Amino acid sequence: MPLKSIVIALFFLTACKTTEPPKVLPSHLDIEAVAQAKPKPTAAILTDPKANDLYNHEVEAWGDRIHAAGLRLCRFYKDLGEAVTCGPAPTPEAREKPVHTP
């Protein structure tokens, strides 16, 4: 008798199994990255060339982070079947090169 009860319980458990794919969410780090505010300029960038260069580098790095996170989110939704067109990922060499400021 206990074997029959176990078989019946297993039958009901397998009948309740869902065939829906697991829900996966995009990385919270990417969502936070695309929500980052642009760096604020200070008055020092008008008179100090070093401050101006530092600010330009901060803005470039911010834009690179936003772009990379946006591409990862685009690929995430593309993998889920959305009809989106994602650009190519930035090359590691491009991210390692310093940004030239005039």
XYZ file of all heavy atoms in Angstrom:
781
model
N 0.791 -1.217 0.000
C 0.000 0.000 0.000
C 0.829 1.276 0.000
O 0.481 2.207 -0.707
C -0.938 0.025 1.214
C -2.242 -0.640 1.011
S -3.056 -0.045 -0.457
C -4.627 -0.709 -0.219
N 1.921 1.388 0.807
C 2.671 2.637 0.783
C 3.252 2.915 -0.601
O 3.362 4.069 -1.005
C 3.782 2.455 1.804
C 3.494 1.196 2.536
C 2.463 0.448 1.779
N 3.642 1.888 -1.327
C 4.196 2.099 -2.662
C 3.149 2.698 -3.590
O 3.444 3.607 -4.369
C 4.731 0.776 -3.220
C 5.374 0.855 -4.594
C 6.562 1.802 -4.555
C 5.785 -0.501 -5.073
N 1.923 2.212 -3.479
C 0.847 2.743 -4.309
C 0.596 4.217 -3.990
O 0.385 5.028 -4.889
C -0.415 1.927 -4.072
C -1.570 2.306 -4.965
C -2.755 1.399 -4.723
C -3.916 1.782 -5.603
N -5.095 0.960 -5.339
N 0.654 4.605 -2.728
C 0.456 6.004 -2.327
C 1.564 6.888 -2.869
O 1.327 8.015 -3.314
C 0.422 6.120 -0.798
O -0.634 5.356 -0.276
N 2.790 6.377 -2.849
C 3.916 7.147 -3.355
C 3.784 7.359 -4.860
O 4.013 8.456 -5.372
C 5.255 6.456 -3.000
C 5.472 6.505 -1.489
C 6.417 7.105 -3.731
C 6.646 5.699 -1.013
N 3.394 6.321 -5.581
C 3.238 6.424 -7.027
C 2.143 7.426 -7.373
O 2.297 8.258 -8.274
C 2.940 5.032 -7.639
C 2.530 5.157 -9.093
C 4.133 4.117 -7.480
N 1.044 7.393 -6.630
C -0.054 8.341 -6.876
C 0.409 9.768 -6.579
O 0.133 10.697 -7.348
C -1.296 7.964 -6.036
C -1.888 6.656 -6.570
C -2.336 9.073 -6.063
C -3.002 6.072 -5.726
N 1.160 9.964 -5.500
C 1.662 11.294 -5.156
C 2.619 11.801 -6.230
O 2.570 12.974 -6.617
C 2.354 11.263 -3.796
N 3.492 10.941 -6.723
C 4.415 11.341 -7.784
C 3.670 11.692 -9.063
O 4.053 12.610 -9.785
C 5.437 10.238 -8.048
C 6.507 10.051 -6.971
C 7.374 8.840 -7.305
C 7.344 11.290 -6.831
N 2.607 10.969 -9.356
C 1.800 11.262 -10.530
C 1.223 12.676 -10.444
O 1.274 13.446 -11.403
C 0.679 10.231 -10.686
C -0.289 10.570 -11.774
C 0.076 10.417 -13.106
C -1.545 11.066 -11.485
C -0.803 10.741 -14.119
C -2.423 11.391 -12.495
C -2.063 11.229 -13.815
N 0.688 13.024 -9.266
C 0.105 14.350 -9.107
C 1.173 15.446 -9.130
O 0.948 16.536 -9.651
C -0.716 14.437 -7.816
C -2.056 13.771 -7.933
C -2.370 12.677 -7.151
C -2.996 14.236 -8.832
C -3.597 12.064 -7.266
C -4.229 13.627 -8.960
C -4.538 12.530 -8.165
N 2.333 15.147 -8.597
C 3.405 16.136 -8.611
C 3.888 16.415 -10.034
O 4.143 17.557 -10.397
C 4.581 15.674 -7.744
C 4.368 15.767 -6.244
C 5.555 15.161 -5.510
C 4.161 17.209 -5.815
N 3.998 15.378 -10.847
C 4.445 15.601 -12.222
C 3.355 16.257 -13.060
O 3.650 16.966 -14.011
C 4.889 14.286 -12.882
O 3.810 13.355 -12.830
C 6.112 13.721 -12.188
N 2.108 16.034 -12.703
C 1.011 16.665 -13.434
C 0.980 18.167 -13.164
O 0.517 18.946 -13.995
C -0.323 16.028 -13.049
N 1.488 18.605 -12.028
C 1.495 20.022 -11.674
C 2.712 20.759 -12.223
O 2.826 21.957 -12.074
C 1.475 20.185 -10.148
S -0.044 19.568 -9.402
N 3.609 20.031 -12.819
C 4.835 20.647 -13.329
C 4.487 21.652 -14.428
O 3.707 21.378 -15.314
C 5.761 19.567 -13.883
C 7.045 20.110 -14.436
C 7.869 18.988 -15.008
C 9.023 19.553 -15.779
N 9.731 18.549 -16.530
N 5.092 22.814 -14.349
C 4.852 23.843 -15.352
C 5.865 23.704 -16.491
O 6.985 23.289 -16.274
C 4.927 25.246 -14.729
O 4.689 26.195 -15.758
C 6.274 25.514 -14.098
N 5.433 24.028 -17.676
C 6.338 23.976 -18.826
C 6.804 25.374 -19.214
O 7.500 25.540 -20.193
C 5.633 23.322 -20.031
O 4.462 24.069 -20.331
C 5.283 21.879 -19.741
N 6.408 26.387 -18.441
C 6.805 27.752 -18.729
C 8.292 27.921 -18.425
O 8.789 27.455 -17.406
C 5.995 28.706 -17.853
C 6.259 30.154 -18.127
C 5.378 31.046 -17.264
O 4.219 30.706 -17.045
O 5.894 32.077 -16.820
N 9.019 28.583 -19.315
C 10.446 28.778 -19.052
C 10.639 29.662 -17.815
O 9.794 30.498 -17.500
C 10.961 29.468 -20.310
C 9.765 30.076 -20.923
C 8.592 29.216 -20.541
N 11.748 29.473 -17.114
C 11.973 30.306 -15.927
C 12.138 31.770 -16.318
O 12.681 32.090 -17.369
C 13.272 29.744 -15.344
C 13.934 29.043 -16.472
C 12.840 28.565 -17.378
N 11.639 32.627 -15.473
C 11.747 34.056 -15.746
C 13.122 34.534 -15.268
O 13.497 34.353 -14.130
C 10.635 34.805 -15.031
C 9.271 34.398 -15.535
C 8.255 35.455 -15.235
C 6.871 35.015 -15.619
N 6.591 35.030 -16.990
N 13.845 35.131 -16.185
C 15.178 35.639 -15.893
C 15.130 37.153 -16.052
O 14.517 37.668 -16.980
C 16.219 35.038 -16.866
C 17.599 35.557 -16.565
C 16.186 33.524 -16.791
N 15.752 37.823 -15.144
C 15.763 39.285 -15.200
C 17.130 39.782 -15.653
O 18.136 39.115 -15.427
C 15.441 39.853 -13.817
C 14.074 39.482 -13.258
C 13.925 40.006 -11.838
C 12.972 40.032 -14.132
N 17.172 40.965 -16.267
C 18.485 41.516 -16.632
C 19.261 41.876 -15.368
O 18.691 42.039 -14.291
C 18.139 42.754 -17.453
C 16.762 43.108 -17.069
C 16.086 41.832 -16.663
N 20.538 42.016 -15.518
C 21.403 42.340 -14.388
C 21.010 43.684 -13.778
O 20.825 44.667 -14.486
C 22.859 42.389 -14.846
O 23.669 42.922 -13.830
N 20.891 43.708 -12.463
C 20.564 44.965 -11.795
C 21.700 45.980 -11.952
O 21.479 47.180 -11.914
C 20.247 44.733 -10.314
C 21.427 44.352 -9.487
N 21.960 43.090 -9.477
C 22.193 45.094 -8.665
C 23.008 43.063 -8.675
N 23.173 44.261 -8.161
N 22.916 45.486 -12.170
C 24.045 46.394 -12.373
C 23.899 47.167 -13.675
O 24.228 48.358 -13.747
C 25.363 45.612 -12.355
C 25.687 44.904 -11.043
C 26.934 44.052 -11.192
C 25.837 45.906 -9.919
N 23.395 46.499 -14.719
C 23.186 47.186 -15.994
C 22.062 48.215 -15.879
O 22.148 49.305 -16.445
C 22.878 46.188 -17.108
C 24.092 45.387 -17.515
O 25.223 45.869 -17.296
O 23.922 44.284 -18.054
N 21.022 47.855 -15.150
C 19.901 48.793 -14.969
C 20.375 50.017 -14.194
O 20.048 51.154 -14.534
C 18.725 48.094 -14.273
C 18.164 47.014 -15.199
C 17.645 49.094 -13.887
C 17.169 46.101 -14.556
N 21.184 49.781 -13.149
C 21.714 50.913 -12.388
C 22.674 51.751 -13.239
O 22.703 52.976 -13.123
C 22.429 50.416 -11.138
C 21.479 49.851 -10.093
C 22.203 49.211 -8.923
O 23.452 49.272 -8.866
O 21.509 48.644 -8.069
N 23.447 51.095 -14.101
C 24.408 51.822 -14.935
C 23.704 52.766 -15.901
O 24.143 53.906 -16.087
C 25.297 50.850 -15.704
N 22.613 52.313 -16.525
C 21.934 53.191 -17.480
C 21.162 54.303 -16.776
O 20.752 55.269 -17.415
C 20.991 52.418 -18.436
C 21.779 51.456 -19.297
C 19.892 51.725 -17.692
N 20.999 54.191 -15.463
C 20.302 55.230 -14.710
C 21.264 56.212 -14.049
O 20.821 57.130 -13.358
C 19.415 54.579 -13.649
N 22.572 56.043 -14.265
C 23.558 56.959 -13.676
C 23.412 58.351 -14.278
O 23.233 58.503 -15.489
C 24.986 56.476 -13.942
C 25.424 55.338 -13.103
C 26.865 54.959 -13.444
O 27.464 55.463 -14.384
N 27.411 54.052 -12.662
N 23.525 59.328 -13.422
C 23.459 60.712 -13.883
C 24.788 61.111 -14.531
O 25.844 60.613 -14.158
C 23.153 61.633 -12.714
N 24.697 61.994 -15.483
C 25.899 62.524 -16.136
C 26.686 63.345 -15.112
O 26.092 64.072 -14.305
C 25.477 63.412 -17.311
C 26.622 63.995 -18.090
C 26.074 64.834 -19.235
C 27.208 65.531 -19.956
N 26.698 66.407 -21.011
N 28.016 63.244 -15.127
C 28.814 64.041 -14.192
C 28.536 65.539 -14.367
O 28.390 66.038 -15.475
C 30.254 63.712 -14.571
C 30.183 62.392 -15.254
C 28.858 62.359 -15.942
N 28.469 66.231 -13.249
C 28.179 67.666 -13.269
C 29.479 68.461 -13.437
O 30.456 68.192 -12.767
C 27.507 68.081 -11.958
C 26.200 67.362 -11.700
C 25.068 68.288 -11.969
C 23.760 67.648 -11.551
N 22.923 67.310 -12.620
N 29.474 69.445 -14.319
C 30.673 70.284 -14.466
C 30.787 71.257 -13.292
O 29.787 71.638 -12.690
C 30.426 71.018 -15.773
C 28.951 71.060 -15.911
C 28.431 69.801 -15.261
N 31.997 71.612 -13.003
C 32.242 72.631 -11.975
C 32.750 73.896 -12.661
O 33.131 73.873 -13.829
C 33.291 72.135 -10.958
O 34.522 71.917 -11.657
C 32.848 70.844 -10.288
N 32.791 74.970 -11.901
C 33.291 76.233 -12.454
C 34.778 76.141 -12.773
O 35.283 76.888 -13.622
C 33.021 77.366 -11.475
N 35.480 75.218 -12.113
C 36.925 75.090 -12.320
C 37.276 74.675 -13.744
O 38.381 74.970 -14.216
C 37.503 74.085 -11.330
N 36.359 74.035 -14.456
C 36.689 73.589 -15.819
C 36.862 74.761 -16.779
O 37.429 74.609 -17.846
C 35.640 72.591 -16.379
C 34.289 73.263 -16.585
C 35.526 71.376 -15.492
C 33.296 72.413 -17.341
N 36.397 75.940 -16.382
C 36.532 77.120 -17.238
C 37.931 77.716 -17.189
O 38.382 78.325 -18.160
C 35.507 78.183 -16.835
C 34.049 77.766 -16.965
C 33.139 78.843 -16.392
C 33.707 77.491 -18.414
N 38.617 77.532 -16.064
C 39.921 78.179 -15.901
C 41.079 77.208 -15.733
O 42.217 77.576 -16.015
C 39.891 79.104 -14.669
O 39.532 78.337 -13.514
C 38.881 80.231 -14.869
N 40.805 75.996 -15.269
C 41.873 75.021 -14.989
C 41.878 73.940 -16.064
O 40.934 73.159 -16.162
C 41.661 74.412 -13.607
C 42.781 73.478 -13.196
O 43.793 73.383 -13.920
O 42.634 72.830 -12.137
N 42.928 73.860 -16.887
C 42.976 72.838 -17.935
C 42.943 71.406 -17.385
O 42.342 70.527 -17.991
C 44.298 73.100 -18.653
C 44.697 74.474 -18.285
C 44.081 74.761 -16.955
N 43.555 71.185 -16.218
C 43.526 69.842 -15.630
C 42.110 69.459 -15.204
O 41.680 68.319 -15.397
C 44.486 69.751 -14.446
C 45.934 69.749 -14.854
C 46.836 69.576 -13.654
C 48.293 69.604 -14.094
N 49.214 69.428 -12.981
N 41.399 70.400 -14.614
C 40.016 70.149 -14.215
C 39.148 69.889 -15.448
O 38.273 69.023 -15.430
C 39.461 71.315 -13.408
N 39.405 70.624 -16.508
C 38.668 70.426 -17.760
C 38.945 69.039 -18.326
O 38.023 68.331 -18.753
C 39.039 71.507 -18.765
C 38.214 71.407 -20.032
O 37.050 71.035 -19.982
N 38.821 71.727 -21.155
N 40.223 68.629 -18.349
C 40.571 67.295 -18.841
C 39.929 66.201 -17.989
O 39.403 65.225 -18.512
C 42.092 67.105 -18.864
C 42.762 67.894 -19.980
O 42.038 68.349 -20.891
O 44.004 68.042 -19.936
N 39.989 66.378 -16.661
C 39.391 65.386 -15.760
C 37.886 65.264 -16.005
O 37.342 64.159 -16.074
C 39.674 65.763 -14.305
C 39.113 64.809 -13.259
C 39.719 63.419 -13.409
C 39.358 65.354 -11.860
N 37.224 66.400 -16.161
C 35.783 66.374 -16.426
C 35.490 65.685 -17.760
O 34.564 64.864 -17.848
C 35.205 67.791 -16.429
C 33.756 67.816 -16.829
C 32.777 67.307 -15.985
C 33.368 68.312 -18.069
C 31.446 67.293 -16.354
C 32.038 68.314 -18.448
C 31.081 67.804 -17.590
O 29.758 67.787 -17.971
N 36.265 65.994 -18.791
C 36.052 65.349 -20.087
C 36.238 63.836 -19.999
O 35.475 63.076 -20.596
C 36.986 65.940 -21.140
C 36.558 67.316 -21.585
O 35.392 67.671 -21.498
N 37.517 68.119 -22.032
N 37.226 63.397 -19.238
C 37.450 61.963 -19.056
C 36.286 61.325 -18.293
O 35.867 60.220 -18.624
C 38.767 61.702 -18.326
C 39.975 61.932 -19.181
N 40.340 61.096 -20.211
C 40.900 62.926 -19.167
C 41.437 61.558 -20.790
N 41.798 62.680 -20.186
N 35.779 62.036 -17.282
C 34.634 61.514 -16.525
C 33.407 61.353 -17.418
O 32.692 60.355 -17.338
C 34.310 62.435 -15.355
C 35.309 62.381 -14.226
C 35.006 63.411 -13.144
O 34.084 64.227 -13.311
O 35.719 63.393 -12.122
N 33.166 62.347 -18.277
C 32.011 62.281 -19.180
C 32.182 61.144 -20.192
O 31.240 60.402 -20.474
C 31.784 63.637 -19.890
C 30.755 63.508 -21.000
C 31.345 64.684 -18.886
N 33.392 60.994 -20.733
C 33.648 59.906 -21.686
C 33.468 58.543 -21.022
O 32.864 57.638 -21.608
C 35.054 60.030 -22.273
C 35.217 61.158 -23.254
C 34.437 60.934 -24.539
O 34.288 59.772 -24.972
O 33.979 61.915 -25.123
N 33.985 58.384 -19.810
C 33.846 57.107 -19.093
C 32.379 56.830 -18.786
O 31.905 55.695 -18.906
C 34.668 57.130 -17.809
N 31.635 57.868 -18.401
C 30.201 57.722 -18.135
C 29.479 57.260 -19.405
O 28.690 56.321 -19.368
C 29.644 59.062 -17.653
C 28.161 59.124 -17.584
C 27.353 58.614 -16.615
C 27.291 59.746 -18.544
N 26.037 58.873 -16.913
C 25.979 59.574 -18.087
C 27.514 60.424 -19.731
C 24.879 60.067 -18.795
C 26.428 60.915 -20.424
C 25.122 60.735 -19.951
N 29.777 57.877 -20.517
C 29.141 57.499 -21.782
C 29.490 56.078 -22.185
O 28.626 55.334 -22.674
N 30.743 55.682 -21.971
C 31.139 54.300 -22.292
C 30.394 53.295 -21.423
O 29.967 52.239 -21.903
C 32.649 54.116 -22.115
C 33.458 54.842 -23.182
O 32.869 55.219 -24.225
O 34.673 55.024 -22.966
N 30.233 53.606 -20.126
C 29.496 52.703 -19.229
C 28.034 52.588 -19.645
O 27.471 51.490 -19.675
C 29.591 53.186 -17.776
C 30.926 52.947 -17.128
C 30.862 53.201 -15.628
N 30.342 54.508 -15.268
C 31.071 55.626 -15.146
N 32.373 55.573 -15.371
N 30.508 56.761 -14.799
N 27.424 53.720 -19.963
C 26.016 53.721 -20.388
C 25.856 52.904 -21.674
O 24.945 52.083 -21.802
C 25.516 55.165 -20.624
C 25.582 55.974 -19.344
C 24.118 55.182 -21.218
C 24.592 55.589 -18.305
N 26.748 53.118 -22.619
C 26.681 52.424 -23.895
C 26.850 50.914 -23.708
O 26.083 50.116 -24.263
C 27.745 52.978 -24.845
C 27.730 52.353 -26.194
N 28.739 51.549 -26.657
C 26.809 52.398 -27.193
C 28.440 51.133 -27.865
N 27.277 51.631 -28.224
N 27.847 50.504 -22.927
C 28.090 49.073 -22.706
C 26.904 48.423 -21.997
O 26.471 47.328 -22.373
C 29.376 48.878 -21.906
N 26.354 49.087 -20.991
C 25.200 48.535 -20.276
C 23.981 48.471 -21.201
O 23.227 47.494 -21.180
C 24.887 49.370 -19.040
N 23.795 49.490 -22.019
C 22.676 49.485 -22.965
C 22.786 48.354 -23.973
O 21.791 47.704 -24.308
N 24.003 48.083 -24.442
C 24.198 46.962 -25.373
C 23.920 45.622 -24.696
O 23.324 44.727 -25.297
C 25.614 46.976 -25.928
C 25.920 48.066 -26.950
C 27.398 48.036 -27.340
C 25.049 47.905 -28.184
N 24.358 45.474 -23.430
C 24.067 44.218 -22.712
C 22.568 44.033 -22.523
O 22.039 42.940 -22.690
C 24.798 44.199 -21.372
C 26.296 43.954 -21.497
C 26.937 43.705 -20.157
N 26.828 44.829 -19.252
C 27.713 45.823 -19.178
N 28.786 45.811 -19.956
N 27.545 46.806 -18.311
N 21.857 45.116 -22.190
C 20.400 45.023 -22.047
C 19.742 44.717 -23.385
O 18.794 43.925 -23.454
C 19.844 46.319 -21.458
C 20.158 46.555 -19.982
C 19.742 47.958 -19.577
C 19.467 45.518 -19.115
N 20.238 45.303 -24.455
C 19.698 45.043 -25.789
C 19.866 43.565 -26.147
O 18.932 42.922 -26.622
C 20.389 45.938 -26.810
S 19.710 45.793 -28.475
N 21.074 43.026 -25.906
C 21.309 41.607 -26.207
C 20.454 40.705 -25.325
O 19.973 39.656 -25.770
C 22.789 41.272 -26.056
C 23.633 41.817 -27.196
C 25.036 41.255 -27.182
N 25.744 41.547 -25.950
C 26.492 42.630 -25.744
N 26.628 43.524 -26.704
N 27.107 42.816 -24.602
N 20.224 41.112 -24.066
C 19.366 40.340 -23.162
C 17.964 40.225 -23.763
O 17.399 39.128 -23.836
C 19.310 41.015 -21.791
C 18.276 40.428 -20.872
C 18.547 39.278 -20.156
C 17.026 41.008 -20.743
C 17.584 38.728 -19.326
C 16.067 40.470 -19.911
C 16.343 39.318 -19.201
N 17.397 41.349 -24.185
C 16.053 41.317 -24.750
C 16.016 40.641 -26.116
O 15.021 40.000 -26.460
C 15.458 42.724 -24.809
C 15.031 43.184 -23.437
C 15.759 44.134 -22.736
C 13.922 42.630 -22.819
C 15.380 44.529 -21.466
C 13.534 43.012 -21.554
C 14.272 43.961 -20.888
O 13.899 44.341 -19.622
N 17.090 40.747 -26.866
C 17.163 40.051 -28.151
C 17.158 38.534 -27.928
O 16.491 37.794 -28.647
C 18.414 40.475 -28.915
C 18.479 39.936 -30.317
C 19.658 40.526 -31.062
C 19.606 40.094 -32.512
N 20.616 40.760 -33.309
N 17.886 38.073 -26.891
C 17.911 36.648 -26.566
C 16.546 36.139 -26.110
O 16.242 34.957 -26.253
C 18.949 36.362 -25.477
C 20.375 36.540 -25.973
O 20.578 36.590 -27.209
O 21.286 36.643 -25.120
N 15.721 37.030 -25.571
C 14.363 36.643 -25.168
C 13.403 36.605 -26.353
O 12.265 36.188 -26.215
C 13.818 37.615 -24.119
C 14.424 37.516 -22.728
C 13.790 38.554 -21.808
C 14.247 36.127 -22.150
N 13.869 37.071 -27.515
C 13.035 37.015 -28.702
C 12.479 38.342 -29.158
O 11.683 38.399 -30.096
N 12.865 39.427 -28.515
C 12.394 40.743 -28.938
C 13.031 41.108 -30.277
O 14.165 40.751 -30.555
C 12.746 41.807 -27.898
C 12.017 41.658 -26.587
C 10.533 41.924 -26.710
O 10.142 42.813 -27.489
O 9.767 41.238 -26.034
N 12.302 41.832 -31.087
C 12.808 42.249 -32.395
C 13.555 43.574 -32.244
O 13.041 44.647 -32.537
C 11.661 42.395 -33.382
N 14.768 43.492 -31.720
C 15.598 44.679 -31.543
C 16.899 44.498 -32.305
O 17.342 43.376 -32.545
C 15.898 44.949 -30.051
C 14.649 45.316 -29.295
C 16.566 43.753 -29.403
N 17.488 45.600 -32.714
C 18.773 45.568 -33.392
C 19.800 46.205 -32.474
O 19.679 47.380 -32.129
C 18.707 46.341 -34.721
O 17.657 45.782 -35.513
C 20.023 46.252 -35.461
N 20.781 45.422 -32.080
C 21.820 45.905 -31.172
C 23.089 46.194 -31.961
O 23.429 45.465 -32.886
C 22.123 44.859 -30.101
S 20.660 44.339 -29.182
N 23.769 47.232 -31.578
C 25.034 47.567 -32.221
C 26.131 46.623 -31.768
O 25.946 45.818 -30.848
N 27.284 46.717 -32.390
C 28.398 45.858 -31.981
C 28.930 46.283 -30.613
O 28.862 47.451 -30.248
C 29.445 46.092 -33.068
C 29.131 47.436 -33.607
C 27.642 47.598 -33.493
N 29.439 45.316 -29.878
C 30.017 45.604 -28.568
C 31.316 46.371 -28.748
O 32.051 46.138 -29.703
C 30.263 44.307 -27.813
N 31.606 47.297 -27.834
C 32.878 48.016 -27.950
C 34.044 47.065 -27.719
O 33.952 46.145 -26.917
C 32.799 49.076 -26.844
C 31.744 48.618 -25.921
C 30.824 47.732 -26.708
N 35.108 47.275 -28.453
C 36.270 46.398 -28.317
C 36.999 46.722 -27.024
O 36.984 47.866 -26.568
C 37.236 46.586 -29.502
O 37.689 47.947 -29.488
C 36.580 46.265 -30.823
N 37.634 45.730 -26.423
C 38.386 45.999 -25.189
C 39.494 47.029 -25.408
O 39.788 47.817 -24.525
C 38.979 44.643 -24.817
C 38.146 43.636 -25.523
C 37.627 44.316 -26.752
N 40.093 47.031 -26.606
C 41.160 47.991 -26.881
C 40.630 49.424 -26.826
O 41.297 50.329 -26.355
C 41.798 47.742 -28.249
C 42.472 46.398 -28.402
C 41.506 45.283 -28.774
O 40.461 45.557 -29.388
O 41.800 44.147 -28.432
N 39.429 49.626 -27.313
C 38.855 50.975 -27.327
C 38.599 51.463 -25.908
O 38.709 52.650 -25.622
C 37.567 50.982 -28.132
N 38.241 50.545 -25.008
C 37.977 50.955 -23.633
C 39.270 51.209 -22.864
O 39.264 51.927 -21.882
C 37.146 49.897 -22.914
C 35.691 49.919 -23.371
C 34.924 48.876 -22.649
N 35.156 47.629 -23.382
C 34.607 46.484 -23.084
N 33.831 46.377 -22.067
N 34.841 45.414 -23.802
N 40.362 50.613 -23.300
C 41.617 50.767 -22.577
C 42.387 52.012 -23.014
O 43.222 52.504 -22.292
C 42.499 49.528 -22.791
C 41.935 48.285 -22.134
C 42.721 47.038 -22.491
O 43.739 47.143 -23.195
O 42.303 45.951 -22.087
N 42.123 52.489 -24.218
C 42.860 53.651 -24.724
C 42.386 54.913 -24.002
O 41.194 55.099 -23.806
C 42.632 53.812 -26.221
C 43.289 52.739 -27.052
C 43.043 52.982 -28.520
C 43.631 51.853 -29.344
N 43.314 51.976 -30.759
N 43.319 55.768 -23.613
C 42.890 57.035 -22.982
C 42.188 57.919 -23.992
O 42.467 57.877 -25.179
C 44.203 57.657 -22.500
C 45.264 56.989 -23.285
C 44.744 55.639 -23.707
N 41.282 58.697 -23.499
C 40.516 59.606 -24.342
C 41.338 60.863 -24.546
O 41.781 61.497 -23.580
C 39.150 59.929 -23.702
C 38.369 60.894 -24.558
C 38.373 58.663 -23.461
N 41.553 61.239 -25.794
C 42.314 62.447 -26.089
C 41.397 63.652 -25.991
O 40.300 63.687 -26.549
C 42.918 62.381 -27.492
C 43.594 63.644 -27.894
N 44.747 64.077 -27.286
C 43.276 64.586 -28.805
C 45.123 65.215 -27.838
N 44.244 65.546 -28.765
N 41.824 64.633 -25.223
C 41.051 65.862 -25.137
C 41.859 66.986 -25.769
O 43.045 67.136 -25.485
C 40.728 66.208 -23.669
O 41.940 66.259 -22.933
C 39.796 65.203 -23.069
N 41.258 67.765 -26.630
C 41.984 68.846 -27.313
C 42.350 69.973 -26.380
O 41.828 70.193 -25.389
C 41.031 69.313 -28.396
C 39.704 68.757 -28.063
C 39.900 67.668 -27.071
